[in-house]
Amino acid sequence: MSTGVNFIVVLVTALIMVGAALIIGWLLAPKSTNAQKGEPYECGIPTRGTSWMQFKTGYYLFAILFLMFDVETVLLFPWAASYTQFVEQYGVMALVSVLFFLFVLVLGLAYAWKKGALEWK
């Protein structure tokens, strides 16, 4: 079979399986309606006021910084664990690329620090 036919077969199979899963879920799911199911709530506590409240951007900046350094850890740990293999295989370029990666992250941290994103007010 050609590549185009394989693609069509996989696409049709995926659409059929997704459609079947949605239909089976819709048929077998319990159905009950009441007024409370339509109300938005968080942790069982009814909301007060409008749901379009403004939040401080500090929460989002803090989360982005956490993700940035979490990704750094995830990417650097395997590199550090097999440092000698990387250096043997790629030479000095492996060290330079990791140092550039760390430089970009430290630059981001310095920028966030200067802007006051790490101060919790």
Side-chain angles (χ1 to χ4, degrees):
M1 284 200 282
S2 70
T3 306
V5 173
N6 287 340
F7 177 75
I8 298 292
V9 168
V10 169
L11 184 66
V12 169
T13 304
L15 290 174
I16 289 172
M17 292 183 76
V18 168
L22 288 173
I23 290 171
I24 290 171
W26 179 72
L27 290 174
L28 297 179
K31 295 169 182 63
S32 66
T33 57
N34 59 30
Q36 283 186 334
K37 286 185 79 169
E39 291 183 14
Y41 68 95
E42 183 176 338
C43 302
I45 301 171
T47 57
R48 289 186 219 155
T50 178
S51 60
W52 289 98
M53 293 181 356
Q54 292 183 351
F55 292 97
K56 288 179 59 175
T57 57
Y59 298 117
Y60 301 110
L61 290 174
F62 201 78
I64 288 171
L65 286 172
F66 173 77
L67 286 175
M68 182 175 75
F69 289 105
D70 194 37
V71 168
E72 174 193 10
T73 304
V74 167
L75 291 176
L76 284 180
F77 182 74
W79 185 86
S82 58
Y83 172 75
T84 56
Q85 290 176 343
F86 273 112
V87 172
E88 289 174 2
Q89 189 173 5
Y90 299 109
V92 177
M93 195 61 190
L95 182 62
V96 171
S97 64
V98 169
L99 288 176
F100 179 73
F101 177 68
L102 287 173
F103 173 73
V104 170
L105 286 173
V106 168
L107 198 64
L109 176 63
Y111 177 76
W113 197 336
K114 183 179 177 185
K115 289 292 184 178
L118 300 177
E119 296 175 11
W120 199 260
K121 295 178 184 177

